[in-house]
Amino acid sequence: VKAGVCRHGVIALDVYGTLVDTAGITVALGKSFWERAPAAAQLWREKQLEYTFRRALMERYVDFDTVTRQALRYVTNRLGVDLSAEAENALLTAYLELPAFPDVMSGLEVLKRTGMKLVALSNGTGHSVRGLLERAGIAGYFTSILSVERVRTFKPAPSVYALLSELTDEYPQRAWLVSGNPFDVIGAKAQGLKAAWLKRDASSVFDPWEYAPDIIASTLPELGGELERLS
Ligand code: LAC
């Protein structure tokens, strides 16, 4: 990896799967899905992302909270679970309270030392993302929360990454994306940003496309250290 001058640029952090753990919903799913809760959590996340990709392609935007509700309904239908309106609402409320990964605060401390602006860049609604960051006690690290609501599409649409052009004169050269989601890293690299893949799960595989991350790390502090060296 070549050292680039990136001081005073911007570091955009993805939210779901990067700062907060989408598998954290498994406990709440236990009440209705019992031993199938881990499978339900995984299917819920997969369908949620599939719906975002399809809606972006079709140009039929609805907000991420709606996507998440529709994906949950798919999961309940598919797994044959009869979910009351009350239970569905409870699960969607729990989704607004997903836990942060334990290394997030120490990782943000390291990233702060780069001198670059930290922002959240998410498919999520501004309201939901703010709530998650506040609950985790990390909202203060971010100069802004950029939501796809502003462009009414979803990652990896180019217009989502271009939201960062407001924050640095040198977009995309001095813009970094940090994400646990390979599709997001590839989306950023395709637009000329720098990108770091937070490989939170040792068994996860990066899509073998023509784009590679500039940094791969398994924890956010480790990733922050690498990024600091390059800045
Ligand atoms: C997000 C999804 C991609 O936060 O995790 O944008």
Side-chain angles (χ1 to χ4, degrees):
V1 180
K2 197 157 75 40
V5 191
C6 49
R7 211 163 279 280
H8 308 310
V10 57
I11 301 172
L13 290 111
D14 170 58
V15 176
Y16 298 91
T18 301
L19 300 177
V20 301
D21 186 2
T22 54
I25 200 67
T26 311
V27 179
L29 285 165
K31 258 187 165 177
S32 308
F33 291 84
W34 304 97
E35 74 287 352
R36 291 186 299 170
Q42 195 184 339
L43 184 60
W44 189 2
R45 174 65 171 160
E46 284 169 7
K47 270 289 154 185
Q48 177 196 53
L49 288 176
E50 180 194 320
Y51 288 176
T52 60
F53 301 151
R54 286 166 55 185
R55 285 186 175 277
L57 199 59
M58 291 171 67
E59 301 179 0
R60 289 295 181 274
Y61 178 82
V62 293
D63 74 30
F64 197 61
D65 296 336
T66 305
V67 167
T68 301
R69 182 184 293 274
Q70 292 176 341
L72 175 59
R73 287 186 179 165
Y74 177 93
V75 173
T76 58
N77 293 344
R78 169 86 177 268
L79 299 184
V81 168
D82 194 15
L83 205 61
S84 67
E86 196 184 21
E88 183 187 271
N89 284 331
L91 281 169
L92 292 167
T93 300
Y95 215 87
L96 301 173
E97 299 172 356
L98 286 173
F101 287 102
D103 66 351
V104 158
M105 198 168 307
S106 52
L108 290 169
E109 275 299 321
V110 180
L111 287 171
K112 208 170 106 177
R113 294 205 298 257
T114 60
M116 291 189 263
K117 273 179 226 158
L118 302 182
V119 302
L121 180 66
S122 180
N123 275 342
T125 61
H127 179 260
S128 298
V129 170
R130 177 161 303 280
L132 288 167
L133 301 184
E134 278 171 1
R135 278 184 68 85
I138 54 171
Y141 284 95
F142 297 92
T143 54
S144 40
I145 293 170
L146 300 177
S147 163
V148 299
E149 281 173 299
R150 298 214 353 238
V151 286
R152 296 182 64 83
T153 185
F154 292 103
K155 295 172 177 180
S159 58
V160 176
Y161 304 100
L163 286 169
L164 297 172
S165 62
E166 292 171 9
L167 297 162
T168 172
D169 292 340
E170 291 172 72
Y171 177 83
Q173 299 82 3
R174 291 196 189 187
W176 277 89
L177 177 81
V178 172
S179 181
N181 299 296
F183 81 85
D184 193 14
V185 170
I186 290 172
K189 288 298 295 176
Q191 297 307 310
L193 285 79
K194 302 236 167 28
W197 179 35
L198 186 51
K199 188 181 176 182
R200 290 211 173 270
D201 176 357
S203 67
S204 59
V205 173
F206 199 83
D207 304 281
W209 287 24
E210 64 275 30
Y211 302 102
D214 298 287
I215 292 170
I216 302 174
S218 56
T219 69
L220 195 59
E222 187 197 323
L223 186 153
E226 292 278 327
L227 207 153
E228 203 183 3
R229 269 190 288 284
L230 294 180
S231 71

